[in-house]
Amino acid sequence: MKKADVKVGGEYYANVTNKKVVVRIDSTNTAGGWNATNLTTNKKVRIKTAQRLLGKARATTSASAAGETRAPKRVAKKTNGADAGSVAATAGDKKLSCIEAALKVLGETEETMNAQEMIAAMTDAGYWTSPGGKTPHATLYSAILRELSKGEDSRFIKVERGRFAARA
């Protein structure tokens, strides 16, 4: 955004601690920038430059322009077991995690594999694809090593250096 586009009392999307949040500009700061309120946490923040602002969040209403506070958003509580039937029905539709897909690939083949081979097999079978990381094989290798630290409860067996199999 440009400095000229920023209005006191307006609500904007802003990068605050590497998160996109809605802020309300309260006043201009004497040292430059603006004093604002993070509407998610109701904490005061300072926006130093207009580059931190990503755009208007919503049109300013007369109530918010007058300084009235809004009621906080209500978040639905998670229920444990109340909707067990509906949760069980959708559990089959969930995507597999990287380590679950690796376990499935190792279970289908009788040979041992290294992390790069598992990533290739998971992608080919359509079980899992990398969300855009540069080294998914390193992430998988690390996850398998964490799993191996469980000892006998581990779902993987380290056959030799860098090669794994599914525990029978």
Side-chain angles (χ1 to χ4, degrees):
M1 284 191 78
K2 294 182 182 174
K3 188 175 180 180
D5 297 336
V6 180
K7 305 290 183 219
V8 173
E11 294 180 359
Y12 300 91
Y13 290 112
N15 282 329
V16 177
T17 62
N18 293 329
K19 294 179 184 164
K20 183 178 176 182
V21 297
V22 178
V23 297
R24 182 182 58 240
I25 304 296
D26 297 327
S27 63
T28 57
N29 192 303
T30 56
W34 300 271
N35 297 322
T37 302
N38 181 341
L39 296 179
T40 307
T41 61
N42 286 329
K43 291 189 177 182
K44 301 290 182 186
V45 293
R46 178 172 171 222
I47 307 295
K48 292 183 180 180
T49 64
Q51 284 77 24
R52 288 267 187 210
L53 299 174
L54 305 173
K56 285 194 172 267
R58 53 188 157 258
T60 307
T61 63
S62 61
S64 63
E68 295 179 21
T69 58
R70 288 179 284 145
K73 293 181 183 177
R74 294 188 180 241
V75 179
K77 287 186 177 182
K78 292 181 180 179
T79 56
N80 294 332
D83 296 327
S86 63
V87 172
T90 59
D93 300 339
K94 280 182 141 182
K95 291 173 66 174
L96 292 176
S97 68
C98 181
I99 198 159
E100 293 291 332
L103 190 63
K104 189 170 184 177
V105 165
L106 286 174
E108 292 173 354
T109 62
E110 296 299 321
E111 60 187 54
T112 62
M113 294 180 154
N114 65 22
Q116 288 183 336
E117 292 169 347
M118 283 187 262
I119 293 290
M122 292 177 337
T123 304
D124 292 342
Y127 296 143
W128 182 84
T129 56
S130 174
K134 293 182 181 177
T135 56
H137 60 279
T139 304
L140 175 62
Y141 185 81
S142 175
I144 292 173
L145 290 182
R146 282 193 307 274
E147 179 80 20
L148 286 172
S149 69
K150 295 178 182 177
E152 293 296 318
D153 295 334
S154 171
R155 299 175 286 178
F156 294 91
I157 300 171
K158 189 170 187 177
V159 179
E160 60 186 70
R161 183 177 178 191
R163 299 196 70 81
F164 304 96
R167 187 178 297 269

